[in-house]
Amino acid sequence: MGFTLEGPVLEGVFVRLEPLGHHHAAGLAEAAEEDRDSYGFTWVPRREETGAYIDAQLGRAADGRVAPYVQVDLATGQVVGATAFLDPRPWPSGEGLCAIEVGFTWLTASAQGTGVNTEAKYLLFRHAFESWDVARVDLKTDARNARSRAAIASVGASFEGVLRNWSASWAPGEGGRLRDSAVFSIVAEEWPERRAALEERLAGIRERRASAQ
């Protein structure tokens, strides 16, 4: 049988990834409006656009192209952003999943640097490699987005290069234009080492949080 892209609930210590639904609209709207200074190259809806944003992502989900999530901060219970699995690519035989991308990611300013992004990526990577048995996880971002590139590198993904005029730009005022995409990946052979490094990093974050209380 072929692969059907469905993302389950994924929960760690800092964050719970919940499949996106219309019941998340109010939480997403609040998160998106908290502080927009870091969203220069990222698709983050304005409050009045939240319903259309959810509709667009659920439409992609219905087509089997995206498994969209909201990110919920477990300390507060608040929605703090979004992320997704996307672009599932089967093995040439058509059986099982060869590769998947992690993207459509954004976080509120207050959640950045708290461990939420690190743990969310850990949960997504672990599910992809250990439940779906993929050979590769892709991550892409606007080549101009230095903040996003640094965040992707920080969770252990390897930079592979820039694909010119690769995909639609999400930068404000660039509707209809193409962007250069910086491409990163983790492959299955690297995952055990990357997993250990992420777990060590998350343990350090937990210790620092505990000592600050």
Side-chain angles (χ1 to χ4, degrees):
M1 296 178 62
F3 176 82
T4 300
L5 180 58
E6 295 178 347
V9 173
L10 301 172
E11 184 167 325
V13 175
F14 308 134
V15 65
R16 181 173 62 250
L17 303 181
E18 299 179 3
L20 173 68
H22 283 288
H23 61 288
H24 294 118
L28 271 178
E30 289 300 317
E33 290 294 342
E34 181 189 286
D35 182 343
R36 300 187 62 88
D37 288 346
S38 64
Y39 300 154
F41 301 103
T42 307
W43 181 34
V44 181
R46 301 304 309 232
R47 184 182 302 275
E48 65 275 10
E49 299 168 341
T50 304
Y53 173 90
I54 294 173
D55 286 341
Q57 290 294 70
L58 293 182
R60 292 179 173 93
D63 291 340
R65 294 179 292 156
V66 174
Y69 285 101
V70 293
Q71 304 192 61
V72 178
D73 187 325
L74 289 174
T76 65
Q78 300 299 308
V79 173
V80 292
T83 192
F85 287 119
L86 64 146
D87 191 21
R89 299 190 299 288
W91 289 99
S93 66
E95 296 294 323
L97 191 63
C98 175
I100 193 81
E101 183 174 345
V102 170
F104 287 123
T105 300
W106 58 271
L107 275 178
T108 62
S110 61
Q112 294 173 19
T114 65
V116 166
N117 178 66
T118 299
E119 189 173 61
K121 292 297 192 299
Y122 169 77
L123 295 170
L124 293 164
F125 296 162
R126 187 179 67 182
H127 187 77
F129 285 115
E130 299 180 17
S131 295
W132 289 337
D133 198 27
V134 300
R136 172 187 171 96
V137 172
D138 300 331
L139 302 99
K140 301 185 184 76
T141 190
D142 193 306
R144 299 167 292 180
N145 192 341
R147 181 195 297 265
S148 178
R149 290 176 66 160
I152 292 171
S154 76
V155 294
S158 298
F159 175 61
E160 295 185 330
V162 173
L163 300 175
R164 297 178 297 168
N165 286 350
W166 180 251
S167 61
S169 173
W170 298 108
E174 294 187 359
R177 293 176 57 183
L178 295 173
R179 75 177 196 190
D180 294 348
S181 292
V183 181
F184 297 76
S185 72
I186 298 176
V187 297
E189 294 81 2
E190 299 170 333
W191 173 237
E193 181 181 351
R194 300 297 193 272
R195 173 174 176 157
L198 285 168
E199 289 175 346
E200 182 177 358
R201 182 175 173 189
L202 288 167
I205 295 170
R206 288 195 293 272
E207 290 176 4
R208 289 192 295 275
R209 282 194 173 193
S211 64
Q213 292 178 352

